[in-house]
C-alpha cells in the first residue's frame, strides 16, 4: 500500500513537472504570437520567470527523492534554451564599433503607472540621461497625468515623435521615439483592422522600427 502510494505521488509530481515544462515553453516562446491576432498569448512571456523557477524546484525535488526523473526538468531547460538566453543573456564585454548607436526601450506606464514612486517622470528622465542612449523607444508614451512634460525631453532629445492609438474616453495609449538624430520621415503601418501599432521612422537615413506594444521585451 505504501509502495503504491509512493508510486502514485511520483507519477503525480512527474505529471505536474511535465505540465510546468509545457507552460514554460509556451510562455517562453510567446513572442512568436502576433499581439494583434493573439493578444493574450503574446503576453504570456510575463509568466516565464515563474515557470522557470518552478521547474528549478522540481529539479531539486527529483535530485532528493528520485534522481532518475531529473531528465524532465533538464530536457525542459534544454528546449527553453533560446527564451532563457533572451531572459538571462550572458553578454561578453567587447569593444564597441565606431559610429554605433545605443538604443534603449522602456515601458513608462504613462509616467505614473507605479504610484509608489514620486516624481516618476523625473526619475525616468534621469535614468535615460545616465544611460546616454542615442535613441529611446517608449511604450505607453502618453502624457496623461502631467501636461507638457514632453517638453523636458527636448533638452536631451531634440527630435521626438509619438504615435497615439487606442484613444478612448477613459484611456489613451501610444508608442514614441525620442532621439538625438533628425527624424527624416515617418510611416504608419496598420495591423489588420486595428489602428497603427508601430511606425517606421527614418533616423539619419536608416529605417528604424519602433517597438510593438505588448510584444517588445525591454525595461519597465
Amino acid at each position: 500500500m505504501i509502495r503504491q502510494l509512493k508510486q502514485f505521488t511520483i507519477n503525480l509530481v512527474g505529471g505536474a513537472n511535465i505540465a510546468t515544462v509545457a507552460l514554460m515553453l509556451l510562455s517562453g516562446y510567446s513572442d512568436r504570437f502576433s499581439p494583434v491576432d493573439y493578444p493574450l498569448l503574446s503576453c504570456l512571456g510575463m509568466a516565464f520567470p515563474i515557470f522557470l523557477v518552478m521547474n528549478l524546484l522540481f529539479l531539486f525535488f527529483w535530485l532528493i527523492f528520485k534522481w532518475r526523473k531529473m531528465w524532465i526538468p533538464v530536457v525542459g531547460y534544454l528546449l527553453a534554451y533560446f527564451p532563457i538566453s533572451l531572459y538571462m543573456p550572458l553578454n561578453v564585454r567587447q569593444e564597441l564599433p565606431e559610429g554605433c548607436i545605443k538604443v534603449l526601450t522602456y515601458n513608462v506606464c504613462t509616467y505614473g503607472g507605479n504610484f509608489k514612486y514620486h516624481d516618476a517622470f523625473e526619475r525616468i528622465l534621469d535614468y535615460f540621461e545616465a544611460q546616454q542612449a542615442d535613441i529611446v523607444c517608449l511604450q505607453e508614451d502618453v502624457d496623461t497625468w502631467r501636461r507638457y512634460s514632453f517638453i523636458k525631453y527636448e533638452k536631451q532629445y531634440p527630435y521626438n515623435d509619438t504615435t497615439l492609438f487606442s484613444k478612448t474616453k477613459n484611456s489613451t495609449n501610444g508608442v514614441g521615439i525620442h532621439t538625438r538624430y533628425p527624424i527624416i520621415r515617418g510611416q504608419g503601418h496598420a495591423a489588420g483592422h486595428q489602428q497603427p501599432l508601430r511606425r517606421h521612422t527614418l533616423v539619419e537615413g536608416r529605417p528604424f522600427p519602433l517597438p510593438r506594444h505588448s510584444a517588445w521585451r525591454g525595461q519597465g
Side-chain angles (χ1 to χ4, degrees), residues 174-203:
V175 291
I177 181 171
H178 306 274
T179 170
R180 297 175 179 174
Y181 302 101
I183 298 174
I184 308 301
R185 179 172 57 89
Q187 181 179 359
H189 291 265
H193 297 289
Q194 304 293 325
Q195 298 180 36
L197 297 185
R198 60 190 301 173
R199 172 179 292 184
H200 289 274
T201 304
L202 299 183
V203 179

Side-chain angles (χ1 to χ4, degrees), residues 92-146:
V92 180
R93 189 175 182 84
Q94 55 184 340
E95 293 293 331
L96 297 178
E98 184 178 355
C100 68
I101 295 177
K102 185 174 183 179
V103 180
L104 184 147
T105 176
Y106 203 107
N107 189 321
V108 296
C109 258
T110 68
Y111 302 101
N114 196 334
F115 297 103
K116 70 179 181 179
Y117 294 131
H118 297 290
D119 301 324
F121 181 85
E122 285 75 10
R123 285 173 176 260
I124 293 172
L125 189 60
D126 289 343
Y127 175 75
F128 294 160
E129 292 176 351
Q131 294 300 312
Q132 290 295 304
D134 299 299
I135 301 174
V136 175
C137 299
L138 304 180
Q139 299 90 52
E140 301 189 28
D141 185 28
V142 291
D143 188 14
T144 57
W145 69 284
R146 181 175 178 181

Side-chain angles (χ1 to χ4, degrees), residues 151-170:
I151 297 176
K152 294 189 176 182
Y153 273 129
E154 296 179 358
K155 297 179 181 180
Q156 185 175 358
Y157 300 106
Y159 306 100
N160 308 273
D161 184 19
T162 298
T163 301
L164 298 179
F165 60 91
S166 298
K167 190 172 183 180
T168 64
K169 181 179 180 181
N170 298 321

